[in-house]
Amino acid sequence: MRFTVAIDGPAAAGKGTIARAVAERFDFHHLDTGLLYRVVARKLLDLGRLDDAESEAPVLAAGLSEADLALNGLRDDPVSEAAARIAVLPEVRNALIGFQRWFAGREGGAVLDGRDIGTVVCPDAEVKLFVTAAEDIRARRRYREMHGRGETLTPDEVLQTIRVRDALDTGRGVAPLRQAVDAVLLDTSELTIESAAARAVAVVEKGLGRGR
């Protein structure tokens, strides 16, 4: 069986956690597509070629393999910053579409979360979700996450990073973050993660029913 669930949304809305819960519930494959950009960023940093990202990043992206997703340090701050820089490059995004579409078409079903899955990567996905939350709530969530890792940004600084990332995601010329017209909106502002995941699972169950 091939069945694709596309989950998009801004930073700290909960889409990754929800995607993992959906994948576990239905025994689907899961891909956090943001890791692809982090892999490319990690390789650029390791090679000392970040300043040559426009020419080097597309080549690295085209050669990416599934094994690369297990590289160490993909969540490190320097990698995060570099990934944000290369994610706006059209050549990099285009180079990664093939890998994402291959993953989405895997036998057994797949859940992909990112920012352009339902609009660009998998516009024909059987189920699309757009997961969001109020800006201040997302900032508080990200602050708790970063504080738990021992990072020392203030709440106001975290809020500013959220705003900057939102501006980058929604304002880029290629594949901007936006809700697909046929995506189900899931606002997690007032929901526990368990409740949000349950709602997402219900949407997927309905989609599976339509496909039978």
Side-chain angles (χ1 to χ4, degrees):
M1 178 192 73
R2 290 181 172 82
F3 190 93
T4 305
V5 180
I7 302 181
D8 293 307
K15 64 181 180 294
T17 303
I18 289 170
R20 289 189 293 273
V22 169
E24 182 176 354
R25 167 64 178 79
F26 297 100
D27 198 24
F28 288 169
H29 304 286
H30 171 237
L31 177 63
D32 170 0
T33 61
L35 284 180
L36 305 182
Y37 299 93
R38 290 172 178 271
V39 166
V40 176
R42 173 82 275 169
K43 291 187 174 186
L44 279 173
L45 290 169
D46 289 346
L47 292 169
R49 302 299 298 273
L50 185 58
D51 289 341
D52 301 314
E54 288 193 19
S55 60
E56 295 292 332
V59 176
L60 293 171
L64 182 142
S65 70
E66 192 171 8
D68 289 328
L69 298 175
L71 288 174
N72 292 325
L74 295 182
R75 301 290 182 183
D76 293 349
D77 285 345
V79 174
S80 298
E81 294 170 7
R85 285 177 57 180
I86 66 171
V88 302
L89 300 175
E91 296 82 3
V92 173
R93 303 194 75 86
N94 290 336
L96 292 174
I97 282 180
F99 180 91
Q100 293 171 84
R101 288 178 175 166
W102 164 78
F103 194 99
R106 296 177 73 170
E107 187 68 31
V111 183
L112 288 79
D113 69 87
R115 288 172 171 80
D116 64 343
I117 309 306
T119 54
V120 176
V121 178
C122 299
D124 297 324
E126 284 79 4
V127 170
K128 299 178 187 178
L129 287 163
F130 190 85
V131 179
T132 190
E135 180 186 79
D136 60 326
I137 290 174
R138 291 190 288 122
R140 286 201 297 271
R141 291 173 179 171
R142 181 54 54 85
Y143 173 76
R144 288 195 297 269
E145 175 187 323
M146 297 175 74
H147 187 70
R149 297 199 301 260
E151 299 181 42
T152 57
L153 288 179
T154 68
D156 285 344
E157 288 171 332
V158 174
L159 176 60
Q160 184 59 27
T161 65
I162 289 286
R163 288 173 173 167
V164 169
R165 183 58 192 268
D166 286 352
L168 286 172
D169 289 338
T170 60
R172 62 176 174 247
V174 177
L177 169 66
R178 60 182 175 85
Q179 181 179 345
V181 294
D182 54 346
V184 175
L185 178 65
L186 178 55
D187 190 324
T188 67
S189 299
E190 305 299 328
L191 298 176
T192 64
I193 191 58
E194 292 80 12
S195 296
R199 293 192 185 189
V201 164
V203 173
V204 176
E205 285 179 336
K206 185 176 180 180
L208 283 166
R210 287 197 302 268
R212 292 181 180 130

